[in-house]
Amino acid sequence: MTAERLTINMNNVPVYDITYNDSFDNLKQFLEGYNADKKKCLIVSDSRVASHYMDAILRVMEGNCKYVTTYIFPEGEASKNLDVVRKIYEKLILEKFDRNDFIAALGGGVTGDMAGFTAATFLRGIDFIQIPTSLLADVDSSIGGKTGVDFDSYKNMVGAFHMPKHVYINTNTISTLDKAQFRSGMGEVTKSALLRDAEFFDWLEENSSRINSFEPEVIKEMIYKCNLIKKDVVEKDPTEKGERALLNLGHTLGHALEKYMEFKLLHGECVSAGTIMASFISFRKGLISQEDHEKIIKVLKLFGLPKVPADIDIERVISYTKNDKKVQDGKVKFILLRSIGEAFISKEVNDEDMAEAMRYYISLDT
């Protein structure tokens, strides 16, 4: 049974709620409780999302906030940088925002990360809310307070932890995603199940056709199940000192592949590829069975896998893992699997392990 609300705590104290809705209308309830009529709001969004949803959000915001303005940036990972953040700072300064005001992040992971980072650093921190519109943001990036931007194409190298005041999920936004965006979101969904919940992984396989058909109740249940997993992890380790690193399953080689491909593949697509590579390494090290490894591939294929060029420069991809923020004492913290539903942190994955995994992925019929 899916609830309508999920509360995220820190040190056993409620910090913010995630609410589940089928329109933007109920956002009014949060704004009223938040005393938004005494606050200015800057809505940050990308060009594609704004064309779909900005009018609907403005209809709610303008009647419930003291003042509302917008900042729209070009769609895509290439915009997630300090130059765009600087322009948002300028907007906030020129429109005389102060510490009482807030930012609303309307969009996917790029928007949420960048708007959240801006909020974390403007005037040493102002409030922000997440209004995710992509599956990836619904299930992962909008929750947990991680914010950041890329630096010279190095993924999320500049960032801060800054918890949102609210996460408002309108599950009907999933219906406007293209295949690549949906596939990207499913990369994070399958990752969540693999690291913590074997029954959920089975559920994904059993409900794959309904998920791929965007059945509203199934989509809502799937998002909620992912949020429960992330809630459990981030409440135990809010600033990634230990266990939260498990959420990086598939991300080490995934981020490196994303950089190598110059962001032509979406983040979650690269996570799917990276997850299969992590599964392969786990299998080769005798940690998981061949049966589990083959099942992981089967399920991820149900939701689509990205093709990787056969002539990819494997050494260059691996070199990018050395500049990842997950490197510690010169060693990559790699997330491996002991079984479906049980992930752990390893520092025993070497370059040849990664190269073999990449060659294996390239050989797959994706």
Side-chain angles (χ1 to χ4, degrees), residues 191-347:
K191 174 213 78 174
S192 297
L194 277 172
L195 69 91
R196 266 297 173 83
D197 194 334
E199 288 185 8
F200 180 31
F201 196 74
D202 289 340
W203 182 91
L204 291 172
E205 182 178 12
E206 292 163 6
N207 290 277
S208 60
S209 61
R210 299 175 71 194
I211 293 167
N212 285 327
S213 297
F214 296 175
E215 287 191 23
E217 288 306 311
V218 175
I219 293 293
K220 183 177 178 181
E221 185 174 355
M222 180 178 74
I223 291 170
Y224 183 74
K225 287 175 181 290
C226 288
N227 292 167
L228 282 173
I229 292 169
K230 188 151 192 185
K231 167 185 163 70
D232 183 56
V233 174
V234 302
E235 286 183 347
K236 291 176 179 174
D237 182 17
T239 56
E240 200 170 311
K241 302 297 184 185
E243 184 176 351
R244 185 166 175 169
L246 295 175
L247 294 168
N248 290 319
L249 175 64
H251 283 60
T252 300
L253 282 168
H255 277 169
L257 179 61
E258 198 175 355
K259 175 176 169 54
Y260 177 87
M261 297 297 294
E262 298 178 338
F263 304 110
K264 293 182 180 68
L265 290 176
L266 297 176
H267 172 70
E269 293 181 298
C270 293
V271 168
S272 289
T275 297
I276 285 183
M277 294 179 212
S279 174
F280 176 79
I281 294 170
S282 301
F283 166 57
R284 290 299 294 246
K285 289 183 176 294
L287 298 166
I288 63 172
S289 66
Q290 182 172 351
E291 181 183 5
D292 276 355
H293 174 55
E294 290 176 353
K295 181 177 180 178
I296 289 166
I297 296 171
K298 176 187 175 184
V299 173
L300 267 70
K301 278 186 173 182
L302 291 173
F303 303 110
L305 288 170
K307 290 189 179 297
V308 173
D311 61 351
I312 191 170
D313 187 338
I314 290 176
E315 287 187 8
R316 186 146 67 94
V317 175
I318 292 171
S319 75
Y320 292 149
T321 67
K322 312 305 180 186
N323 294 312
D324 194 281
K325 62 185 185 299
K326 293 181 283 296
V327 172
Q328 191 173 66
D329 300 325
K331 290 189 174 183
V332 176
K333 289 196 295 183
F334 210 100
I335 311 303
L336 297 178
L337 295 167
R338 289 197 179 94
S339 65
I340 292 174
E342 184 182 0
F344 72 101
I345 301 167
S346 172
K347 291 186 179 178

Side-chain angles (χ1 to χ4, degrees), residues 12-31:
N12 297 316
V13 176
V15 178
Y16 61 93
D17 288 335
I18 306 166
T19 57
Y20 304 90
N21 310 270
D22 57 12
S23 75
F24 292 114
D25 296 341
N26 290 333
L27 184 57
K28 179 181 178 180
Q29 295 177 8
F30 165 75
L31 294 171

Side-chain angles (χ1 to χ4, degrees), residues 142-211:
S142 68
I143 299 156
K146 266 190 177 182
T147 74
V149 294
D150 304 336
F151 184 79
D152 289 347
S153 79
Y154 292 104
K155 184 85 173 174
N156 295 329
M157 278 305 223
V158 181
F161 287 97
H162 190 55
M163 297 295 176
K165 287 295 179 183
H166 190 76
V167 179
Y168 185 96
I169 294 177
N170 173 2
T171 54
N172 279 342
T173 61
I174 302 303
S175 64
T176 64
L177 298 181
D178 62 29
K179 288 183 179 179
Q181 288 283 353
F182 186 72
R183 185 164 61 238
S184 177
M186 289 307 301
E188 291 286 359
V189 170
T190 49
K191 174 213 78 174
S192 297
L194 277 172
L195 69 91
R196 266 297 173 83
D197 194 334
E199 288 185 8
F200 180 31
F201 196 74
D202 289 340
W203 182 91
L204 291 172
E205 182 178 12
E206 292 163 6
N207 290 277
S208 60
S209 61
R210 299 175 71 194
I211 293 167

